[in-house]
């Protein structure tokens, strides 16, 4: 016998592929709707409104409701099949060229008026509404990826001690030692309640904070002494004290809190 082999089968062009689907959908009752936007009326949108595709051509039927509802009262799931100049995609999925076995099966089902297997709702193949959109005058453009929120570590702007870190694993032991030292400092720090009293918040360079009461005639040096007593070993280190908003270094240790405008203020320690 003889066998005649023809030339290799050419790949279906996206334009031919889309046209075949549109014609098949029309033959099975899909309706055409024009977009209300004047700028898009030259390329109508095929949505299949008012026509529900069944699993087979015999089950496809017209429906009178503009938005079909499933038998149990739940609204039908709408899937969108969009054709572009360079292929097609389903909903917001990736671009497909129509050449794979899965692509051909999907397009063939739509052309026959059937719900493609991959678009069916689990357990109810009829509970699906398909919109077919014609965008063949445009190239598919990959949607921009959403930028994930920053979830790493950072440095507070204007931080007085950008190089100091705090170890969360040893936080409990550090906090316990700080409380013990602060108790000792409080016992040696004397406040005369008969005089005007103010409360200061002291932000230390290690990330911890101290809150203490001072008389208005206490000095900047009194704050430094309180820090040194609260944190053993701090006296041997070189640091400065600063105000916030605006940042200003407190250089006069003999200035009273009232003169330095530190009444109910926040004082920040910065290592040098």
């Amino acid at each position: 016998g003889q066998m005649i082999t023809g030339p290799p089968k050419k790949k279906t062009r996206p334009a031919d592929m889309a046209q075949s689907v549109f014609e098949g959908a029309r033959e099975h009752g899909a309706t055409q709707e024009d977009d209300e936007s004047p700028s898009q009326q030259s390329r109508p949108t095929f949505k299949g409104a008012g026509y529900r595709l069944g699993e087979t051509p015999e089950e496809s039927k017209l429906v009178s409701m503009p938005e079909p509802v499933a038998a149990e009262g739940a609204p039908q799931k709408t899937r969108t099949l969009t054709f572009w100049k360079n292929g097609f995609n389903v909903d917001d999925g990736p671009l497909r060229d129509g050449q794979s076995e899965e692509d051909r099966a999907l397009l063939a089902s739509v052309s026959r008026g059937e719900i493609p297997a991959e678009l069916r709702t689990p357990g109810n193949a009829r509970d699906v509404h398909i919109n077919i959109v014609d965008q063949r005058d445009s190239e598919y453009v990959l949607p921009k990826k959403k930028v994930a929120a920053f979830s790493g570590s950072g440095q507070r702007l204007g931080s007085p001690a950008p190089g100091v870190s705090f170890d969360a694993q040893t936080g409990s032991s550090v906090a316990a030692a700080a409380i013990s030292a602060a108790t000792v400092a409080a016992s040696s720090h004397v406040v005369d309640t008969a005089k005007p009293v103010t409360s200061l918040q002291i932000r230390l360079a290690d990330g911890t904070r101290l809150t203490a009461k001072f008389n208005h005639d206490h000095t900047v040096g009194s704050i430094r002494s309180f820090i040194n007593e609260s944190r053993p070993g701090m006296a041997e280190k070189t640091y400065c004290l600063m105000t916030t908003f605006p940042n200003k270094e407190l250089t006069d240790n003999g200035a009273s809190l009232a003169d330095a405008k530190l009444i109910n203020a926040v004082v920040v320690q910065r290592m040098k």
Side-chain angles (χ1 to χ4, degrees):
Q2 294 181 346
M3 181 178 65
I4 301 174
T5 304
K9 186 177 179 180
K10 296 182 179 179
K11 290 186 177 181
T12 304
R13 295 184 304 169
D16 298 336
M17 170 183 63
Q19 189 62 34
S20 175
V21 173
F22 290 141
E23 292 175 356
R26 289 194 193 96
E27 290 175 0
H28 289 86
T31 59
Q32 175 179 327
E33 290 186 356
D34 293 333
D35 198 321
E36 295 180 357
S37 173
S39 61
Q40 298 181 359
Q41 288 182 354
S42 59
R43 180 66 68 177
T45 299
F46 293 82
K47 295 186 176 181
Y51 189 84
R52 185 173 63 198
L53 298 178
E55 291 185 83
T56 65
E58 291 74 17
E59 293 182 350
S60 300
K61 63 178 182 179
L62 292 171
V63 292
S64 57
M65 295 297 292
E67 293 186 7
V69 178
E72 298 181 357
Q76 287 190 327
K77 182 176 180 60
T78 299
R79 306 300 299 270
T80 302
L81 181 63
T82 305
F83 286 92
W84 307 89
K85 183 183 297 185
N86 51 342
F88 75 97
N89 71 321
V90 177
D91 297 331
D92 295 324
L95 183 68
R96 301 162 67 164
D97 61 8
Q99 303 303 320
S100 68
E101 182 177 349
E102 293 79 6
D103 290 356
R104 290 195 295 269
L106 182 148
L107 298 176
S109 295
V110 175
S111 298
R112 293 193 301 267
E114 302 173 10
I115 300 296
E118 70 174 85
L119 303 185
R120 297 175 188 171
T121 302
N124 191 346
R126 297 182 178 88
D127 192 20
V128 178
H129 186 72
I130 298 180
N131 287 344
I132 306 175
V133 181
D134 187 358
Q135 292 288 348
R136 287 177 293 171
D137 55 351
S138 303
E139 293 278 352
Y140 172 82
V141 178
L142 186 67
K144 293 182 179 180
K145 294 183 179 180
K146 294 182 179 180
V147 179
F150 177 73
S151 58
S153 60
Q155 176 65 42
R156 185 183 64 193
L157 294 178
S159 172
V164 179
S165 60
F166 183 75
D167 188 354
Q169 296 180 348
T170 59
S172 58
S173 59
V174 172
I179 293 174
S180 177
T183 302
V184 174
S187 63
S188 60
H189 176 65
V190 180
V191 177
D192 188 350
T193 57
K195 296 180 180 180
V197 177
T198 185
S199 179
L200 297 183
Q201 182 185 104
I202 306 171
R203 298 178 182 175
L204 301 180
D206 62 2
T208 59
R209 300 183 182 187
L210 297 174
T211 300
K213 293 186 180 297
F214 292 84
N215 290 123
H216 289 198
D217 58 359
H218 272 113
T219 64
V220 173
S222 302
I223 301 176
R224 184 178 290 272
S225 298
F226 180 80
I227 294 175
N228 294 341
E229 293 172 357
S230 300
R231 295 293 186 271
M234 191 62 71
E236 287 75 24
K237 297 182 179 180
T238 302
Y239 65 88
C240 66
L241 299 178
M242 301 182 65
T243 60
T244 58
F245 304 109
N247 290 338
K248 180 181 178 181
E249 184 175 353
L250 301 170
T251 56
D252 187 358
N253 289 326
S256 67
L257 303 188
D259 292 340
K261 299 180 180 181
L262 295 178
I263 306 303
N264 296 322
V266 175
V267 177
V268 180
Q269 180 193 40
R270 181 172 184 177
M271 308 305 295
K272 289 188 175 181

